[in-house]
Amino acid sequence: MLYAQTTPADKRAGFRERLASGELLRFPGAFNPLSARLIERKGFDGVYISGAVLSADLGLPDIGLTTLTEVAGRAKQIARMTELPAIVDADTGFGEPMNVARTVQEMEDTGLAGLHIEDQVNPKRCGHLDGKQVVDEHTALQRIRAAVDARRDPNFLIMARTDIAAVDGLDAAIDRAKALVDAGADAIFPEAMRSLEEFAAMRAAVDVPLLANMTEFGKSELFTVQQLADVGMNLVIWPVSLLRLAMGAADRGLDELVDAGALTGLLPQMQHRADLYELIDYEGYNHFDTSIFNFTVAR
């Protein structure tokens, strides 16, 4: 009922413990708080909060238009609704090193388990588009050092994302990943890896946890959880998948309304009212007021 019972500190400690185990943790992307609850119900290990999804939710492209306040606010709404740890895409940290430091503390206050900060030039663009630009190594390391120095909870995960592979190749990505780890990054997110061999090369290069991004219609092949586990990945995200599925269903539903004038034919594809009420724990609120839930929902 209401929000998660697990404290942010406990979420972070549990996440760190599981991440250190070497197993592959599965973090689907939530596009709103309710989808985060569904991710938890289905038995996943955590929740990912995508910057691309937050931008799209506002009707904006993923080119650095969202603000720290917007991202932190939405991340808080999602993180507090699930017992699972949640990590957020913090883009380039929303400014210079001091802004990065503030970003970390703001995100800590939202109850998140961690974030990642990338080495793109701001304004950035989606990691799977052509024409990306990355900052020099000094600037990239400054961002991570500022993030680590600002952190108050040592279990809050500071992950460094590097987009340099698409610009200068895999060897440059390996060199930058090593430097980011030396700067204090707890984990590395090598963006737009094209093959399992590239993931394996990253795994051989650094000793910290590695994240694999399985976004559709991008540069990476969509590898299975088992394939990624076999090459030593520690986290896998599907950042935009649930939003794409939901918007695809919404598109088809609106077409049905235009063509048929009613949605009777799509009822089997809809989440039932009873399932929705169960997911939001409607009956649990009866603890406070018996007038809230005093009916039965027919299936």
Side-chain angles (χ1 to χ4, degrees):
M1 189 181 61
L2 291 174
Y3 306 136
Q5 298 301 301
T6 309
T7 68
D10 286 344
K11 288 183 187 179
R12 292 168 189 159
F15 174 46
R16 284 295 200 132
E17 183 177 348
R18 292 199 65 193
L19 199 55
S21 73
E23 63 181 308
L24 178 62
L25 305 181
R26 304 158 303 152
F27 278 54
F31 61 88
N32 63 11
L34 188 62
S35 62
R37 278 201 166 176
L38 189 59
I39 289 167
E40 178 185 328
R41 173 180 287 187
K42 295 296 183 179
F44 287 93
D45 306 299
V47 171
Y48 180 71
I49 304 168
S50 161
V53 166
L54 294 182
S55 294
D57 193 48
L58 295 171
L60 298 170
D62 182 23
I63 54 173
L65 293 174
T66 52
T67 67
L68 169 59
T69 302
E70 289 171 327
V71 175
R74 192 59 163 163
K76 179 179 181 179
Q77 291 173 343
I78 293 172
R80 70 187 179 187
M81 197 54 71
T82 173
E83 308 296 337
L84 297 176
I87 57 176
V88 71
D89 175 0
D91 285 347
T92 60
F94 302 101
E96 299 302 317
M98 185 59 71
N99 302 94
V100 174
R102 183 181 178 217
T103 293
V104 168
Q105 295 194 359
E106 289 283 349
M107 296 304 185
E108 279 186 314
D109 288 346
T110 69
L112 290 161
L115 53 69
H116 62 75
I117 295 170
E118 64 199 51
D119 59 359
Q120 280 200 54
V121 171
N122 198 33
K124 51 79 53 98
R125 60 174 58 201
C126 171
H128 287 255
L129 293 179
D130 295 326
K132 291 187 296 183
Q133 292 180 290
V134 295
V135 298
D136 60 78
E137 184 172 288
H138 174 73
T139 303
L141 301 186
Q142 270 192 321
R143 289 176 181 173
I144 297 306
R145 291 190 183 110
V148 172
D149 288 346
R151 172 175 55 191
R152 294 161 294 178
D153 183 344
N155 283 326
F156 185 81
L157 188 81
I158 304 294
M159 181 184 297
R161 170 177 141 178
T162 179
D163 288 66
I164 201 170
V167 179
D168 294 326
L170 179 62
D171 289 343
I174 289 173
D175 289 343
R176 179 153 293 188
K178 290 178 178 179
L180 291 165
V181 172
D182 290 342
D186 301 312
I188 296 292
F189 175 174
E191 179 62 300
M193 296 288 97
R194 295 176 181 270
S195 67
L196 287 171
E197 289 74 23
E198 290 191 349
F199 280 120
M202 293 297 300
R203 175 71 289 160
V206 297
D207 293 329
V208 299
L210 290 174
L211 179 147
N213 181 10
M214 292 293 100
T215 191
E216 301 83 13
F217 317 115
K219 303 288 188 183
S220 301
E221 186 178 336
L222 297 179
F223 301 112
T224 67
V225 168
Q226 189 58 57
Q227 285 176 308
L228 293 168
D230 288 344
V231 293
M233 295 299 104
N234 307 100
L235 282 162
V236 54
I237 59 172
W238 299 269
V240 194
S241 306
L242 291 189
L243 177 66
R244 289 187 173 119
L245 288 166
M247 290 300 292
D251 193 24
R252 291 187 292 273
L254 293 173
D255 285 343
E256 181 78 1
L257 273 179
V258 170
D259 296 337
L263 291 174
T264 309
L266 295 184
L267 287 177
Q269 299 180 34
M270 294 185 186
Q271 182 185 51
H272 195 282
R273 183 192 299 267
D275 294 327
L276 172 61
Y277 284 1
E278 184 180 355
L279 190 60
I280 61 178
D281 191 24
Y282 212 135
E283 190 171 5
Y285 289 82
N286 188 45
H287 174 73
F288 289 103
D289 188 345
T290 56
S291 69
I292 293 177
F293 191 88
N294 57 4
F295 54 89
T296 300
V297 180
R299 285 189 176 273

